[in-house]
Amino acid sequence: MDYFSGIVGQDRAVKLIKKSIAHASTSHAYLFSGPAGVGKMQAAMAFARSLIELEDKQAGVYFNEEMHPDLLIIEKLENRSLIGKEQISRQLEPWLALKPYRAEHRVAIIRDAHLMSLEAANALLKTLEEPPIYALIILICDDENILETIVSRCQLVRFFPVTEKELMEFLRARGFDREKASRAVRLGQGSVASALRFVEEEGLEEIWEAALGLIRDMAQGDRAAIFEAAEKLQPAPDLIIRIVETILRDALVIGGGNQDLLLAPEAPEIMSLLQAKDPGRLMTAIMEIEKLKTYYRRNVNTLLLNTSIGYQLWNALQ
């Protein structure tokens, strides 16, 4: 079975992985690095399943039940903000100490490896320095916030934003109409997961209006809007913030004079409002909001995080 068939726009990474399997030249550790939502976890699962199935002809039965004994997935626990040391020392290490049950390899996938605590990262480093001969560890990382000593002990496989053409073909093949798919592609900005979120969201028009209203309120200069933003973001913070970021980027594009590059041409009145704003402040807000929104994937107070994002937006629009 070709487990890689559903991966969109990552031909280079898929080719490298397939080649290592075909030539029996897999490394003991890989770092899959790139933007969120572009297929890193999907590729890691395809890698693990392809390798194990090559060695265990009955693996598919276990995969269907999501319980193959030679595949382990470690991810952030619910209600925790980071992957803790105990998940490495009490879960991964004892598991890797056991020889494979059915295959020739034991494959461990650490999802969101950039969320490892320093203690967890140091514990993992010891395993990477002296791994069992049958071990294969795949780290999935959305950003570069990971120890350089860990990076140096892994084979780096880079993933990139998916092109608009590839995203459009992907969504159209799934039966979405052209207009809806086109908007989702523009707002997804290279992320398959984000594009799917937009195209499958039934209340997208309401979310779009919420994003536009947020910008209008902030532009009026009332500080109370910062705290009101915290509640307005609650229904769908990932989608609303993505739209806000897109509109802010469009404001910078208009300032550069190239309107053909606009991602959200449906908001001309907002563009007119933003043209009078300081491009430097807009750029700072985009960068800070990009950093802040990553914390939604941790166990943090969302209202407090929404307020912080609201402040960045308010400051940019004064």
Side-chain angles (χ1 to χ4, degrees):
M1 179 175 180
D2 185 5
Y3 293 105
F4 295 93
S5 60
I7 298 174
V8 181
Q10 305 298 339
D11 293 348
R12 183 182 300 179
V14 168
K15 182 178 180 181
L16 187 154
I17 296 168
K18 283 185 171 181
K19 184 177 180 180
S20 68
I21 295 174
H23 294 177
S25 59
T26 56
S27 174
H28 71 282
Y30 290 83
L31 176 62
F32 287 10
S33 179
V38 296
K40 299 187 300 299
M41 183 62 183
Q42 188 179 4
M45 290 298 294
F47 189 178
R49 288 176 172 175
S50 298
L51 180 63
I52 292 174
E53 191 173 79
L54 190 65
E55 302 167 347
D56 173 17
K57 301 306 179 184
Q58 301 301 316
V61 176
Y62 293 87
F63 292 151
N64 289 338
E65 300 297 326
E66 298 184 353
M67 54 176 290
H68 197 286
D70 295 320
L71 175 60
L72 174 69
I73 299 173
I74 290 182
E75 52 192 334
K76 182 180 71 66
L77 297 174
E78 189 176 357
N79 298 324
R80 296 286 296 273
S81 60
L82 298 172
I83 296 174
K85 178 184 177 182
E86 68 279 3
Q87 290 180 261
I88 304 300
S89 59
R90 298 179 186 176
Q91 186 178 6
L92 177 65
E93 290 176 3
W95 186 82
L96 281 178
L98 299 174
K99 291 184 178 180
Y101 280 88
R102 298 186 56 85
E104 296 174 18
H105 287 84
R106 301 211 91 187
V107 184
I109 298 173
I110 302 181
R111 189 171 194 168
D112 295 329
H114 53 280
L115 296 183
M116 285 190 295
S117 67
L118 181 58
E119 294 79 7
N122 284 326
L124 176 64
L125 184 58
K126 295 178 182 178
T127 300
L128 292 177
E129 288 173 343
E130 298 180 2
I133 192 170
Y134 50 77
L136 192 156
I137 302 171
I138 305 173
L139 309 182
I140 299 175
C141 184
D142 287 352
D143 55 45
E144 301 302 323
N145 185 27
I146 193 165
L147 292 179
E148 182 59 38
T149 46
I150 287 181
V151 176
S152 66
R153 285 165 174 77
C154 299
Q155 180 172 343
L156 180 62
V157 181
R158 292 197 179 278
F159 288 72
F160 300 92
V162 180
T163 67
E164 288 192 4
K165 179 182 178 182
E166 289 169 323
L167 266 180
M168 188 66 168
E169 291 175 351
F170 171 72
L171 294 179
R172 294 286 287 146
R174 292 174 73 98
F176 295 106
D177 68 75
R178 183 170 296 278
E179 182 178 351
K180 197 171 186 179
S182 179
R183 172 180 278 192
V185 166
R186 285 184 278 116
L187 293 173
Q189 295 180 34
S191 168
V192 177
S194 292
L196 276 174
R197 280 278 284 124
F198 278 112
V199 80
E200 293 174 347
E201 178 58 55
E202 294 182 0
L204 185 57
E205 291 303 323
E206 291 79 6
I207 290 173
W208 182 264
E209 287 303 319
L212 296 182
L214 195 60
I215 294 175
R216 290 192 195 99
D217 293 345
M218 292 292 181
Q220 292 176 358
D222 184 358
R223 279 185 176 272
I226 297 174
F227 303 100
E228 293 172 0
E231 295 185 2
K232 291 180 179 179
L233 284 169
Q234 279 298 87
D238 58 331
L239 299 184
I240 295 174
I241 291 170
R242 174 75 75 163
I243 292 172
V244 167
E245 286 181 306
T246 300
I247 292 173
L248 294 183
R249 287 191 174 94
D250 274 4
L252 294 175
V253 169
I254 286 182
N258 194 344
Q259 298 196 19
D260 293 336
L261 299 177
L262 293 184
L263 295 172
E266 301 95 332
E269 77 286 359
I270 295 295
M271 288 298 106
S272 177
L273 178 66
L274 294 181
Q275 277 185 286
K277 304 303 178 182
D278 182 353
R281 285 192 174 189
L282 293 177
M283 179 60 74
T284 298
I286 291 171
M287 294 171 62
E288 292 301 318
I289 291 173
E290 185 70 25
K291 293 176 185 176
L292 286 168
K293 73 178 185 181
T294 62
Y295 287 92
Y296 283 114
R297 300 175 68 177
R298 307 187 186 189
N299 181 36
V300 298
N301 185 314
T302 56
L303 283 175
L304 182 60
L305 183 54
N306 290 349
T307 301
S308 298
I309 290 175
Y311 177 78
Q312 293 295 335
L313 182 58
W314 182 88
N315 190 55
L317 298 180
Q318 303 316 301

